[in-house]
Amino acid sequence: MSWSNWPFIMSSVFSQLAIGAFISLGCVILSGKLCFGQSDRVHRTMPALWLMLFVSLILREGNLMLIQAHSAYSLTNEVLLAIVFFGSAICYWFFEKGLVATEGFRKVLLVNVMVLGIAYLVNGFVVRSSHWLVISHFMATTMVGGMLFAHAALVRSQHKVEAVNRIFPIGGMLLAIVCFITGASQLGDLKALAEAQNETGPLIAQIISLGLLVAATGVWLMPMITRSKPVQGVMTFALLLIFLSSLFAGVGV
């Protein structure tokens, strides 16, 4: 694991978290459960997603252009989808914030952006289909992390949709269990590889990543267990844990 890989790991984590979060937020917005004020506050949190996507693309493409300075440069389907998603999401956000066009048209724009996000997820699974450990990391970041990020944004927006405080943590827990089982089942191969090559770094990184995933899910579920409302501090701590889990997963691959 060289320092030159860090920009690509950070880029992947940022883009996967942001796209996963937008899809989850889009589902809540389309449900019609948010009043105008809540919806407006939710949209005020979205610039954080745009910043993450922008930084992701700069980190990845900037480093690729430097590395491939003397060779042909080409975009992968995943990066191309991320760029198109970013542009479409920004357009939707400006239309929604400016109340441009009809509400129905803005919902169509939102659905189109969500479809692009789903296409990004499907492409991600297809590209990683030959490596179950990598698939589990991708699922943990985009689906578990994205849902957690969206829930944190909703808490910050002071939403009043009580069902979200149950559905998101439970859904995230179920997905995290799938990711943990899939990831844990691959530790034997990493152990054999470590013994053969005398390199324990990837194995340790994967164990830490899975531990942080469990910890993040536990913190996320805490308000449900204590029957209290989620607060921003708890959500931010859980989000930090899932972010670190994704970073360690990238280091170990």
Side-chain angles (χ1 to χ4, degrees), residues 65-177:
M65 284 188 283
L66 289 175
I67 292 172
Q68 301 178 357
H70 303 293
S71 60
Y73 174 74
S74 61
L75 289 173
T76 63
N77 288 335
E78 186 166 315
V79 174
L80 184 59
L81 282 169
I83 293 172
V84 175
F85 174 90
F86 183 30
S88 302
I90 287 286
C91 287
Y92 157 74
W93 185 75
F94 275 115
F95 269 71
E96 186 64 40
K97 289 296 292 180
L99 297 179
V100 178
T102 64
E103 182 180 356
F105 179 77
R106 297 198 301 272
K107 285 186 176 180
V108 170
L109 285 180
L110 174 58
V111 170
N112 287 335
V113 179
M114 291 174 66
V115 169
L116 287 171
I118 293 170
Y120 174 90
L121 297 184
V122 172
N123 177 78
F125 281 113
V126 171
V127 169
R128 296 162 175 83
S129 59
S130 60
H131 200 319
W132 281 103
L133 185 62
V134 181
I135 288 178
S136 70
H137 296 328
F138 182 74
M139 182 188 299
T141 305
T142 55
M143 301 180 75
V144 181
M147 196 179 295
L148 173 55
F149 196 177
H151 194 190
L154 287 165
V155 170
R156 182 173 180 81
S157 304
Q158 300 177 358
H159 76 99
K160 306 298 181 183
V161 188
E162 293 300 325
V164 166
N165 294 333
R166 298 189 304 273
I167 295 172
F168 274 33
I170 293 175
M173 178 191 67
L174 295 175
L175 289 169
I177 290 173

Side-chain angles (χ1 to χ4, degrees), residues 179-198:
C179 294
F180 181 85
I181 293 173
T182 305
S185 66
Q186 304 297 309
L187 292 180
D189 293 338
L190 287 175
K191 183 179 178 181
L193 184 65
E195 292 173 349
Q197 299 183 359
N198 196 27

